[in-house]
Amino acid sequence: MASTAPDLDLTATAQSTGARRIILDGRVQGVGFRPFVYRLATEYGLAGWVFNRLGQVEIHVEGDERALREFEHDLTERAPQLARPRISASGPCHRESPDGFSIRSSSRAGAAEIHLPPDLFTCNDCLAELNDPADRRYRYPFINCTQCGPRYTLIRGLPYDRPDTTMAGFRLCTQCRREYENPADRRFHAEPVACPVCGPQLEFHVPGHTQLRGTAAALAAIKALRAGQLVAVKGIGGYHLVCDARNDHAIGELRKRKPRPHKPLAVLFPAPPGKPLSCVTRAVFLARDQADLLLSPGRPIVLARRRPDCPLSNLVAPGLDEIGVMLPYSPLHHLLLNDYGAPVIATSANISGEPVLTENAVVEERLGHVADAFLHHDRPIERPADDPVYRVIGNKPRLLRAGRGNAPLEIDLPFSLSKPVIAVGGHMKNTAALAWQNRLVVSPHIGDMGTARSLAVFEQTLRDLQSLYEVAATAIVCDAHPGYATTRWAERSGLPVHRVLHHHAHAAVTCLPDLAADKRLVFAWDGTGYGADGTLWGGEALLGRAGNWQRFASLRPFQLPGGERAGREPWRSAAAVCWETGTGWPDLPDTAGLLRHAWERRINSPQTSAAGRLFDAAAALTGICLVASHEGQGPMELEAACHTAGSPVALPLGKSGSGVWLSDWEPLLPMLLDNGRPAAERAACFHASMAATMLQQARQARTDYGITRIGLSGGVFQNRILTERAVELLTADGFRVDLPDDVPVNDAGISVGQIIEYAALHRSPDAA
C-alpha cells in the first residue's frame, strides 16, 4: 500500500485540470475519514471540500486530472485502518474554483446510507501518550482519537457529531478544542475527545464510604484488587466484575455471591508495550490465528487451551481445558492491568443471563451483594455491548457472540428486500436483526429473554437499530415457538408477523452468501427448538434451500422428563434414554421412582429428538456431569474429557412411518455405562459415533437425492471435537461442508436465519 503520493508535475501545461464529485459509503464515519481526505487532497495539491452526509462522505475536488485519478484511487487504498470505504458514485462536475481544501459541516440532506462504527480499541499513538509523563493526557483513562475509543455505545444519532453522543455534556477545554478543530490533528472531530481538564472522571466507591475521584480512584481500585476484593469496573459497553485470576478465595467468593458455581470466567491479561502477548502466553497455548484474533481491532475473548503450568486458579474454568482470554481494549483497562501487573477475572457484571449493566446507581443497587467496591466513571453508556467471543474450529475463527468491537454486525445480502423487516431472534442468546434493501444489521448480544431487564434492552435495541439507521420495519419475523417472549412481543407489536421454525432459521444461516445454490443437507443440532409437529426438535437433517426445507433425517426421539428442567439436569436425559430402552442405570438419582412415574404417564415429558439432550445424557451416564449450573455445562465438560480420537459405535439408520430417516442411539448405552472404561475414552467414543452418524445420514441423502453439499448449524457445533471430526469425515467422502464463521452457529444467529428465511419468500421481484 502506498504511503506517499507519487511525484507529479502539477505545473505542467500538458496536464488538463478538472473537477470531480465523489461519494463514499461503507464505514466512513467515526473512523477519521474526513481528516484523511483533507490530508490526501493537500498532499496532491487539490482544492475542494469534504463533508459527512447521513452515513456517507461527499467530496468535491478540483485540480490536475492525473492527481485526481491518483487521489480517487488512494481514497480506498490508503484509507485509515478501521475504515471500510466504498466509492458509490464518482463523476465530473462543474468547477467552483475553491480556495484550498476544507472540511465542511455535516449535512442531513439526501437519502440515508448509514454504517455505524463499532467501539474501537486504544490505538498505539494514544497508548504512547497514556504512558508518557510529559504528555498532558498521561494516565488519563479516557484518552482517544479518530482511530480509537467508543463509538456504538455512545452514539445517540447521526451524522456522527459530538452533540449527538453521550459526550455532549462535556464542554471542550481550549486545548482540546484546538485539536478538535485542526484538520491536520489526529483528533480533528474525534467526537469523544477529552482530557483531565474537561473530560470524564473516575470515581471509586465503597458503599458507606466517601468517593474518591481521578487518579486516586484508580489507585484505590488496584489496592482493593491486591487485597483480594471484588471490584465492579465500568468500561466501554458496561461493567465487569474484576478480581485476581490467581486468587482461589477471591474467585470462590465471586462464584458464591453472583452465584456462578461453574460457568467459565473470562480473563483479562496485561499487554506490556512492545510485547502484548508475553503475559497471556504464560497461561495458554496460542496458535497464530488465535494470537491474531487477540490483537485484532475487536479485541475479543478468544478460547485457548490452558498450559499445564498455567498460573491461573483452577476455579477460572473448572472441568474445562480451555480458557477465555482477552487483552485490554480501553485506556482504563491498560492502566489497571499495567499497574496491577497480573491477569484478572473480567466477567460481565449482570444478573445471570441478562444484558450487562451500564448505569452507576443501578449496578450498585443490583450487584451490591456481589462487589466489594465500584470503579465508576461519569461518561454515560448509551446502550450495552458485552465482549465478543471467538473459538477456532476447523482452523478458522468462529464467532460465538457478537459485541463490543464487532457489533453491530453489518452484512451485505445477495438479494434485495422490497420492504424493511426486523427479526427478533429466539429466547436464549438473543440478538435482533434489521434488514432492508440488500443490507442486514445484527445487534450485539442481548442475552436470555426471561427477565424484565432483558426485555427492556431488547426493546431499546429494536428502537435504536431503526432510529440510527433511519429505517422503519414494516414486518416482524419471529420464532414459531408460541411461548417465547420474543414471539409474544412480536404478536403485540401491531405489525404483520411471520413465524419461522427454529431449525429452519439455523439451516438458513448456512445459505449465505449464495442462496441460489443447489439443494443441501443441513444438520441443525442444538438443545431444543419448536418443531413443525409440535415436538422439541434438535437433531435434524434438513434437506432443501432457504425458504423450502424438508425434514430428511433425525435422531430417535424420546420423552424428556421435566421438560425444560432437563437442560440444567443432564441426568434426566440419561434417565429417559435408559427408561426408553429398558436399560438399567445403577447411578440413577431418582431413587424414589417419582419422576419415572410421571414420565410413564407423559406428565411434563415432551418428546424430543435433540442432539444436545443426547450429549447431556452421555455426560451423565459417564459420570462427568449429572447436574449443571449453566447452559451447556454437561456437553462442554464431555468435550473437554476427550483427549484422544475415539472409535465409533455404529448406529442403525432406518425410515420411520412418516418417511423420515432416524438414527437409533440405543447401541451407545452399553458403552456409556461401561465403568470399566475410562470416562475420557467413552466421551471420545461418543463424539466419534455422533460424527459417524452425520456421515451416514449424508450418504443416504446423496443416495436418495444426489446431495453433495452439507451445512452445519446449531449450538452443538460450537463443540470443536465433534465439528472437526464431522468435517473431516464428510470432506474425505466427497462432500462440501459449509460452517458459518461470521455469524454464530448458536441461537445468536437465529435472527440472521429468520431474515434469510423471510427473504426467500419476500425479496424484490428483480432480486438476484
Side-chain angles (χ1 to χ4, degrees), residues 61 135 161 164 170 187 199 238 284 296 392 422-423 437 484 524 541 574 586 602 662 674 709 738 760 762:
V61 63
D135 194 274
D161 291 317
D164 290 317
F170 296 92
R187 292 192 170 92
V284 296
S296 66
V392 174
I422 267 189
Q437 298 173 2
Y484 279 3
R602 301 298 187 254
L662 295 179
D674 185 358
R709 193 162 180 178
D738 296 315
H762 298 87

Side-chain angles (χ1 to χ4, degrees), residues 18-326:
R20 296 192 73 79
R21 178 176 178 261
I22 304 171
I23 297 176
L24 299 102
D25 57 25
R27 189 189 296 170
V28 289
Q29 293 191 8
V31 290
F33 198 76
R34 287 176 300 163
F36 157 71
V37 173
Y38 174 90
R39 292 191 295 271
L40 191 65
T42 303
E43 182 180 314
Y44 277 106
L46 301 173
W49 57 80
V50 60
F51 64 90
N52 276 345
R53 300 202 314 187
L54 284 175
Q56 297 178 317
V57 165
E58 181 171 333
I59 303 168
H60 176 96
V61 63
E62 301 181 11
D64 177 86
E65 287 284 7
R66 181 181 169 193
L68 289 173
R69 289 194 299 271
E70 294 290 343
F71 169 81
E72 183 168 338
H73 173 268
D74 285 352
L75 283 173
T76 55
E77 290 301 305
R78 291 170 56 190
Q81 177 188 2
L82 299 171
R84 301 290 184 272
R86 294 189 300 247
I87 296 177
S88 60
S90 175
C93 62
H94 292 295
R95 293 177 61 98
E96 300 192 21
S97 302
D99 183 14
F101 198 89
S102 63
I103 299 177
R104 293 187 170 181
S105 299
S106 299
S107 168
R108 295 190 61 84
E113 185 62 36
I114 293 164
H115 295 261
L116 287 181
D119 301 304
L120 308 174
F121 73 104
T122 308
C123 71
N124 289 334
D125 288 336
C126 283
L127 278 181
E129 294 173 346
L130 184 72
N131 296 316
D132 182 0
D135 194 274
R136 73 187 189 92
R137 293 187 176 89
Y138 175 58
R139 294 185 60 82
Y140 181 56
F142 306 98
I143 189 172
N144 66 85
C145 68
T146 55
Q147 291 303 292
C148 68
R151 298 291 190 273
Y152 173 75
T153 54
L154 60 68
I155 292 174
R156 287 175 171 158
L158 291 173
Y160 176 57
D161 291 317
R162 192 178 181 96
D164 290 317
T165 73
T166 62
M167 290 296 294
F170 296 92
R171 186 175 180 179
L172 292 172
C173 68
T174 302
Q175 287 179 283
C176 284
R177 179 158 294 283
R178 188 179 302 121
E179 295 168 330
Y180 183 83
E181 295 176 348
N182 180 4
D185 195 287
R186 80 174 200 280
R187 292 192 170 92
F188 175 76
H189 277 260
E191 308 307 343
V193 68
C195 74
V197 173
C198 64
Q201 297 293 323
L202 292 176
E203 297 176 356
F204 181 80
H205 184 222
V206 176
H209 294 74
T210 304
Q211 289 187 347
L212 300 174
R213 289 180 60 83
T215 301
L219 295 175
I222 296 295
K223 183 178 179 181
L225 291 174
R226 293 199 192 286
Q229 294 185 321
L230 311 181
V231 182
V233 178
K234 187 177 182 179
I236 288 179
Y239 280 82
H240 286 115
L241 288 169
V242 176
C243 67
D244 192 317
R246 305 163 301 175
N247 188 323
D248 286 353
H249 177 74
I251 299 173
E253 282 297 305
L254 171 59
R255 290 196 174 282
K256 182 174 69 175
R257 296 179 195 177
K258 198 173 181 192
R260 190 172 174 170
H262 305 102
K263 192 172 183 180
L265 303 168
V267 181
L268 181 63
F269 287 81
K275 44 181 182 178
L277 297 175
S278 60
C279 293
V280 69
T281 51
R282 294 176 199 151
V284 296
F285 296 103
L286 286 182
R288 183 70 261 167
D289 45 9
Q290 291 170 313
D292 291 343
L293 261 180
L294 282 172
L295 294 169
S296 66
R299 290 296 195 271
I301 297 171
V302 178
L303 299 185
R305 188 161 59 89
R306 184 185 189 118
R307 286 184 175 274
D309 57 347
C310 175
L312 304 180
S313 167
N314 289 328
L315 296 178
V316 168
L320 305 178
D321 60 353
E322 289 185 336
I323 297 171
V325 300
M326 63 175 165

Side-chain angles (χ1 to χ4, degrees), residues 501-508 524-526 528-531 537-540 542:
L501 285 172
H502 191 83
H503 297 93
H504 287 186
H506 271 314
W525 283 14
D526 62 3
T528 55
Y530 191 75
W537 287 8
E540 314 316 310
L542 301 175

